Amino acid sequence: MSDPSTIPPPGELQKPQPPKDPKATEGFHWWRRTFQYRTGIGLTPEEKQTYENDYHFVLQKKQCQQCYDYRDWMLKYSPTVRFMVQQISKLNGNSSGQVLPFDESKIICDACPEWRSGGFHPELGILLCQNHIRDKWHLEDTLAHEMVHYFDNLKWQVDWLNLKHHACSEIRASSLSGECRFSAEFRRRGFGFTVAKGHQDCVRRRATLSVMGNPNCKDEKEAGKIVNEVWDSCFNDTRPYDEIYR
């Protein structure tokens, strides 16, 4: 398949349509179309547009399947994810005190126009952005992050439009998920990562960026101020873990 960097992405909110002819994305037909697209030989504007649509459709289909495969693997084998499933299930009991099983359908994969790799909605659940997930371990960090939000929402009925509530959950999610551990941060920032307070700096940075996306936040300065105000209590609150271990 062609290098994705050579093919323009679809519109920000536009999803590619299924190919008119499914066989056109298989075997020799797909190889021929790819060669024609890469060389431009005999390629009409309509064929070019059709190929780009079909390419992104095939790519998103593969990304989606891989995302769900990763998700299912983590739900079965990841100690972090399995622990969070147990803790969320305990909070998700009914009025008689019965613990309800975790609803895996609340974790969905889809393509996202934004730069983020995941998101949480208190009513809909967790979204994993299949087109921004680099690998299985990136998905584990992302899923663990969103599951902390899930836990917080059930335990404390978070008001997500309240900047202090939002900032507190973002601090906890970035700190407890493993996305700010040394290896992950070094992979993102290389030698710009400082060992002494690297974990805390990463958590502050990522929490501030997330709060900036809140519709009630004016700018980066306000986001940073809110994060600082709630930092001590929220960073030191490692529930449901005994400590930060990732």
Side-chain angles (χ1 to χ4, degrees):
M1 185 176 287
S2 305
D3 179 355
S5 64
T6 67
I7 299 176
E12 184 175 343
L13 296 177
Q14 178 186 352
K15 285 194 173 184
Q17 300 301 309
K20 295 177 181 177
D21 179 7
K23 292 184 178 179
T25 60
E26 298 174 357
F28 175 77
H29 297 290
W30 185 241
W31 178 87
R32 179 189 59 78
R33 293 179 66 201
T34 299
F35 180 81
Q36 186 180 38
Y37 182 89
R38 294 291 296 272
T39 62
I41 298 174
L43 185 70
T44 67
E46 182 180 3
E47 288 173 332
K48 180 176 183 293
Q49 185 177 13
T50 300
Y51 177 85
E52 290 172 355
N53 172 84
D54 293 354
Y55 173 87
H56 286 292
F57 180 85
V58 170
L59 180 62
Q60 286 194 8
K61 186 176 179 180
K62 288 186 175 183
Q63 287 174 339
C64 183
Q65 184 59 55
Q66 186 173 64
C67 178
Y68 277 113
D69 288 346
Y70 287 166
R71 181 205 69 169
D72 294 346
W73 194 93
M74 289 301 164
L75 287 168
K76 190 173 182 180
Y77 296 113
S78 166
T80 301
V81 172
R82 285 170 58 85
F83 176 76
M84 288 305 300
V85 164
Q86 293 169 0
Q87 299 305 310
I88 290 169
S89 296
K90 289 178 183 178
L91 294 175
N92 208 23
N94 59 24
S95 57
S96 63
Q98 179 184 7
V99 175
L100 300 177
F102 182 80
D103 185 359
E104 295 180 4
S105 69
K106 290 284 190 178
I107 306 174
I108 65 169
C109 294
D110 205 346
C112 304
E114 302 91 351
W115 55 267
R116 63 185 182 179
S117 57
F120 171 75
H121 189 283
E123 296 175 6
L124 302 178
I126 293 171
L127 170 67
L128 298 173
C129 295
Q130 63 195 38
N131 53 325
H132 296 299
I133 297 293
R134 295 188 300 273
D135 53 39
K136 183 190 296 184
W137 312 114
H138 182 207
L139 183 139
E140 182 181 33
D141 290 348
T142 301
L143 182 53
H145 178 113
E146 304 306 336
M147 293 182 99
V148 172
H149 290 323
Y150 204 142
F151 175 89
D152 288 356
N153 191 67
L154 289 172
K155 190 169 183 64
W156 292 293
Q157 291 77 51
V158 176
D159 177 359
W160 295 99
L161 293 178
N162 181 306
L163 295 184
K164 288 188 176 181
H165 286 203
H166 186 188
C168 190
S169 190
E170 292 295 349
I171 290 168
R172 285 171 35 76
S174 289
S175 181
L176 299 173
S177 64
E179 64 189 15
C180 281
R181 66 188 181 279
F182 174 82
S183 58
E185 186 69 343
F186 184 81
R187 187 167 59 245
R188 280 191 296 265
R189 308 190 69 194
F191 291 103
F193 176 72
T194 56
V195 177
K197 288 192 176 181
H199 176 82
Q200 293 190 28
D201 290 344
C202 171
V203 173
R204 283 184 187 275
R205 184 183 74 252
R206 295 177 75 85
T208 300
L209 286 172
S210 294
V211 174
M212 282 172 60
N214 191 304
N216 286 338
C217 182
K218 292 184 293 187
D219 52 30
E220 182 178 1
K221 183 178 180 181
E222 183 180 29
K225 177 176 177 291
I226 296 296
V227 168
N228 287 334
E229 287 177 1
V230 301
W231 176 263
D232 288 341
S233 61
C234 299
F235 182 77
N236 291 313
D237 184 353
T238 62
R239 287 175 287 180
Y241 299 96
D242 294 329
E243 60 183 1
I244 300 171
Y245 85 97
R246 290 192 80 223

